[in-house]
Amino acid sequence: MNKKTLGKIQTEEQAEIKKFILVLGGLIIAIIGIYFFTRAFVTKDLFNKKKASDEINYQAGAISDTNIIVGNMLNRPFEEYYTFAFSSKSNLVGYYDTIMSKYKSEKESLKVYYIDTEDYFNNKYVDKENPSTSFESLDKLKLGEITLLKIKKGKVIKLITNVEEIKKELNIKAS
């Protein structure tokens, strides 16, 4: 026998191993193809060259100069202004926002600060069943569902807890 014929003769085990390797190679190529197809056409990020750090959005800790806590509502930089306390979880938030937007759109409107009664720092000042109608110090203040406080020279001169009275104070017509 010559060497060429010896190299071509295979046992059954060698033939099975050869088939196994071919099937395994085909399977790997198919999985890689599916991966790139998914990246290119489904998630569409294969050709997108943005860095992962470019996609980070840092808006959760946005700073607001109109949202305040009760503890610093008397030391704002204006001589006269309003603070409007409300619950951000209330079903009437949109209605309250409409009232305040109408007021702020007027030429002669005072600055308005907002107090979210759901904020952790404001929790001790909230009593929705028995809100304050007047108070001697901030420790005795109890905010209701909504409360409008008019502040002049660092002192509360008006405290209103009724929506209709708030609309009258802000000169908002019925809507």
Side-chain angles (χ1 to χ4, degrees), residues 59-73 75-76 82-86 88 97 100 104 111-117 119 121-122:
Q59 293 186 11
I63 297 173
S64 171
D65 65 341
T66 59
N67 294 339
I68 60 173
I69 59 174
V70 173
N72 66 9
M73 77 175 181
N75 60 4
R76 302 288 83 208
Y82 287 109
T83 58
F84 184 67
F86 66 97
S88 61
D97 186 48
M100 298 314 290
K104 290 191 304 186
K111 176 73 174 172
V112 177
Y113 292 99
Y114 298 96
I115 297 173
D116 183 0
T117 58
D119 188 329
F121 296 110
N122 297 326

Side-chain angles (χ1 to χ4, degrees), residues 6-7 9 11 27-28 33 39 41 56 66 72 86 88 90 97 102 106 109 113-114 142 161 169 173:
L6 278 177
I9 299 176
T11 63
L27 187 60
I28 290 172
R39 293 265 323 262
F41 298 108
I56 297 173
T66 59
N72 66 9
F86 66 97
S88 61
S90 171
D97 186 48
K102 284 182 181 180
E106 296 177 12
S109 67
Y113 292 99
Y114 298 96
K142 295 298 175 193
T161 59
E169 171 68 25
K173 306 294 185 246

Side-chain angles (χ1 to χ4, degrees), residues 1-18:
M1 281 200 195
N2 108 31
K3 282 189 170 184
K4 286 186 179 180
T5 57
L6 278 177
K8 291 185 181 181
I9 299 176
Q10 296 179 351
T11 63
E12 253 184 72
E13 290 174 351
Q14 289 174 334
E16 290 295 320
I17 291 173
K18 190 175 185 179

Side-chain angles (χ1 to χ4, degrees), residues 106-161:
E106 296 177 12
K107 285 184 180 180
E108 303 279 327
S109 67
L110 297 175
K111 176 73 174 172
V112 177
Y113 292 99
Y114 298 96
I115 297 173
D116 183 0
T117 58
E118 299 297 327
D119 188 329
Y120 173 78
F121 296 110
N122 297 326
N123 283 345
K124 72 178 187 177
Y125 301 104
V126 178
D127 186 354
K128 293 181 181 178
E129 274 70 38
N130 299 312
S132 300
T133 53
S134 65
F135 63 97
E136 297 167 6
S137 68
L138 283 182
D139 294 335
K140 297 189 190 317
L141 173 65
K142 295 298 175 193
L143 301 170
E145 177 69 30
I146 63 165
T147 305
L148 181 72
L149 299 115
K150 186 173 186 180
I151 300 171
K152 187 172 186 176
K153 296 183 181 179
K155 296 190 189 267
V156 176
I157 58 172
K158 281 190 183 177
L159 187 144
I160 305 169
T161 59

Side-chain angles (χ1 to χ4, degrees), residues 52-63:
S53 63
D54 293 344
E55 297 176 16
I56 297 173
N57 192 356
Y58 293 102
Q59 293 186 11
I63 297 173

